[in-house]
Amino acid sequence: MRVITFGTFDVFHVGHVNILERARALGDELYVGVSSDKLNYSKKGRPPIYSEHDRIRIIDALSCVDFVFLEESLEQKPDYIQQYHADILVMGDDWQGQFDELSDLCQIKYLPRTPSISTTEIIEVVRHIEPEEE
Ligand code: C2G
């Protein structure tokens, strides 16, 4: 069974590795669509901290990931699912219900997010660290 999932995976953290490992455990192969810089900008109104090149490089280095590609738009999910012959689409439950219309193409599973961690929170924490006085 081939599993497919999508994400920005900016400032890679433990919530990202948790969902990727759980997605991989649902099948035999994991394909990951990494959101392009342009898509991220259109969704979040800011550029990602890490470039799409570096985010792809990080995801590709993980032992639970078999194949990585660039996700250019949210609406192309049906095309990616068909192009890569995916059997199961996995998304975090922040996307609960949003891809149910794709259930005639493959199984859809929403997995619970890891609590208390997000790229946005990490950026906020780092932004507010005061440099130590010498
Ligand atoms: N995630 C998680 N736990 C967290 C943070 C993120 O399980 N604490 C999951 C999200 O639910 C998502 C994946 O990690 O499934 C990637 O999260 P993001 O990088 O925030 O991806 P997102 O911006 O939601 O992009 O086509 C869909 C988009 O590409 C998804």
Side-chain angles (χ1 to χ4, degrees):
M1 294 280 259
R2 182 172 291 167
V3 183
I4 196 167
T5 192
F6 297 86
T8 312
F9 304 105
D10 193 21
V11 188
F12 193 78
H13 59 66
V14 71
H16 294 144
V17 83
N18 286 342
I19 198 159
L20 291 171
E21 286 187 346
R22 283 179 296 157
R24 172 64 178 76
L26 294 172
D28 315 298
E29 282 181 305
L30 179 61
Y31 279 41
V32 183
V34 171
S35 301
S36 68
D37 292 342
K38 220 169 128 187
L39 173 54
N40 190 256
Y41 194 86
S42 71
K43 278 193 309 185
K44 302 197 176 162
R46 61 163 177 82
I49 304 290
Y50 297 166
S51 70
E52 63 194 26
H53 176 269
D54 287 0
R55 290 180 288 112
I56 286 175
R57 171 88 183 82
I58 290 166
I59 300 301
D60 200 33
L62 300 172
S63 59
C64 61
V65 173
D66 296 283
F67 183 74
V68 185
F69 59 95
L70 193 65
E71 178 192 27
E72 310 249 26
S73 89
L74 298 180
E75 292 71 34
Q76 274 174 267
K77 279 204 181 49
D79 306 326
Y80 296 127
I81 289 168
Q82 286 173 301
Q83 179 182 352
Y84 296 120
H85 305 284
D87 301 295
I88 310 175
L89 168 66
V90 168
M91 297 298 295
D93 63 2
D94 44 326
W95 293 92
Q96 187 70 44
Q98 293 192 47
F99 300 110
D100 289 356
E101 74 275 11
L102 303 175
S103 60
D104 50 346
L105 296 178
C106 66
Q107 290 178 51
I108 318 287
K109 283 196 195 292
Y110 303 96
L111 300 182
R113 279 170 71 90
T114 301
S116 314
I117 187 155
S118 74
T119 299
T120 308
E121 269 177 56
I122 294 167
I123 293 169
E124 282 304 303
V125 168
V126 172
R127 186 176 278 155
H128 291 103
I129 291 174
E130 298 282 340
E132 274 187 34
E133 304 239 344
E134 295 277 314

